[in-house]
Amino acid sequence: MMEKTEIRYAEIETRAIEGRKVSGYAAVFNQWSRPFFGYFRERIDPKAFSNTDYSDTVACFNHDVDKVLARTSSETLKLSIDDTGLRFEFDMPDTTVS
């Protein structure tokens, strides 16, 4: 039996960069997105991540899974949910990835 994997991409807005620490929201609740493909919009419900397994979530450079910046399984990526949305935080690795 094949395991089902869902991959989604979204623009994120970085809220803070202090030294090497990067943080912000990967998803913001109850706000309409910009139109995708010119017509499709979505709004994320605060319960959207209630049953999500974050045990091996990655933060990638330009959505490229070959350019991993941080990962929850190595404890370099921290994810949390608050009233605003899904918050992320990681220390930028010392890399030349571009």
Side-chain angles (χ1 to χ4, degrees), residues 14 44 90:
T14 304
I44 300 171
F90 65 92

Side-chain angles (χ1 to χ4, degrees), residues 17 32 44 62 79 84:
I17 301 176
W32 285 105
I44 300 171
N62 283 339
L79 298 174
T84 301

Side-chain angles (χ1 to χ4, degrees), residues 59-96:
C60 301
F61 181 76
N62 283 339
H63 308 293
D64 185 341
V65 294
D66 291 328
K67 298 177 180 176
V68 175
L69 299 172
R71 183 176 218 134
T72 56
S73 62
S74 65
E75 299 181 0
T76 54
L77 172 63
K78 295 177 184 152
L79 298 174
S80 60
I81 296 174
D82 59 24
D83 290 339
T84 301
L86 176 62
R87 182 173 171 71
F88 68 90
E89 182 178 304
F90 65 92
D91 289 327
M92 183 64 75
D94 186 11
T95 182
T96 58

Side-chain angles (χ1 to χ4, degrees), residues 2 4-5 7 15 18-19 21-22 25 38-39 42-43 54 57 60 71 79-80 83 85 87-88 94:
M2 289 184 60
K4 182 181 176 191
T5 301
I7 299 173
R15 302 284 182 191
E18 294 180 22
K21 189 167 298 296
V22 180
Y25 287 89
Y39 63 91
E42 67 181 4
R43 185 173 58 189
Y54 301 108
T57 303
C60 301
R71 183 176 218 134
L79 298 174
S80 60
D83 290 339
R87 182 173 171 71
F88 68 90
D94 186 11

Side-chain angles (χ1 to χ4, degrees), residues 41-58:
R41 294 176 68 196
E42 67 181 4
R43 185 173 58 189
I44 300 171
D45 187 277
K47 298 175 194 166
F49 300 103
S50 296
N51 296 315
T52 302
D53 177 8
Y54 301 108
S55 62
D56 195 25
T57 303
V58 294

